[in-house]
Amino acid sequence: MKLTGIELRRVRMPLVAPFRTSFGVEHDRDILLVRAVTDEAEGWGECVAMADPLYSSEYVEAAADVLRRYLIPALAARPPADATAVGPTLHRFKGHRMAKAALETAVLDAELRAGRRSLARELGAVRDRVPAGVSVGIMDSVDELLSDVEGYLDEGYLRIKLKIQPGWDVEPVRAVRERFGDDVLLQVDANTAYTLGDVALLAALDPFGLLLIEQPLDEEDVLGHAALARQVRTPICLDESIVSARAAADAIRLGACQIVNVKPGRVGGYLEAKRIHDVCAAHGVPVWCGGMLETGIGRAANVALAALPNFTLPGDTSASGRYYRTDLTEPFVLDDGHLAVPDGFGIGVAPVPEILAEMTTSLEWLPLA
Ligand code: SMG
Ligand code: MG
């Protein structure tokens, strides 16, 4: 396989509704897409960096910059024989995992398409469909929240995740439990909004039988999560803190989490995501696939990953319609609360040319050969 060039494309995708978290509100997504062109095939990667460095230190403009200034030139200087060579070649550049993930995924997709293999099989998928959860943002009122949750349950979503922050935690959880009952699979995500001083508040969630509390404390506060885990009954799940398989192994060893959210973008790509899956499986720690409001391109690859055996909890892998009126690819739709795992070559989907053109705000071609 010979890489001939990389295309960086920005698309603007309006969300069907604003999505509010403890760190901000998203109205639309400014997404960086990476297309790797080889002599045999082309492949796609979606960079999950947001417009601003609020979820993590990465942001889309910085991802584009590091790709064009460092990462792509590094591949030009040492062309990868296959996708497994991308990570080692980029390793000397610190951080920027979301940018690295997008580039590696594009190369991997091209390689798999050329070899007529699907990403799902390549990663070790054992299912042809995965259960879908949905992440529900912070709302202005509990009534508004209940009506959105009702809509998602009616659509068939199999698990509800509520975004929480101080002042929007016990009350919305209690309201959802009272209205929809104890059988609904329910979890919460704080996106680092609490401190260890909030132990009593977080313990007040214990009676509601939540599946997990996701990332209550600062991303670097692994020991804080371990201390918290000893004082609350609800299992602690880490998201932001788990930036690599090594970080996952450390967090598990320290007792900082009983469950792990795997996001390929956050950890540098699908190959590292698979290693996290394996590390967690070896420790008996269940994992689930996170989401970053991806288009069909990123979603396809996430759904392939979510089909691995230790993904035993429903992920933030919702249908296209939860995010976008028009997706870039054929839309992912719910079938009995599940999404089908793409079985085509590579990630198994491609952008619809007319829709892609309509959403594109800028385009850059970086020749490698
Ligand atoms: O893709 O359904 C999705 C979003 C899931 O809540 C979600 N993601 O911390 O897990 C998380 C957040 C990060 C992105 S919020 C803009
Ligand atoms: Mg999260």
Side-chain angles (χ1 to χ4, degrees), residues 19 135 161 163 189 191 214 239 263 291-293 316 323:
F19 184 58
S135 175
K161 158 167 141 181
K163 289 292 196 177
D189 184 3
N191 289 108
E214 183 178 346
D239 172 356
K263 282 181 188 163
M292 293 292 284
L293 309 171
D316 286 342
Y323 312 95

Side-chain angles (χ1 to χ4, degrees), residues 34 79 135 192 220:
V34 177
S135 175
T192 76
E220 294 181 5

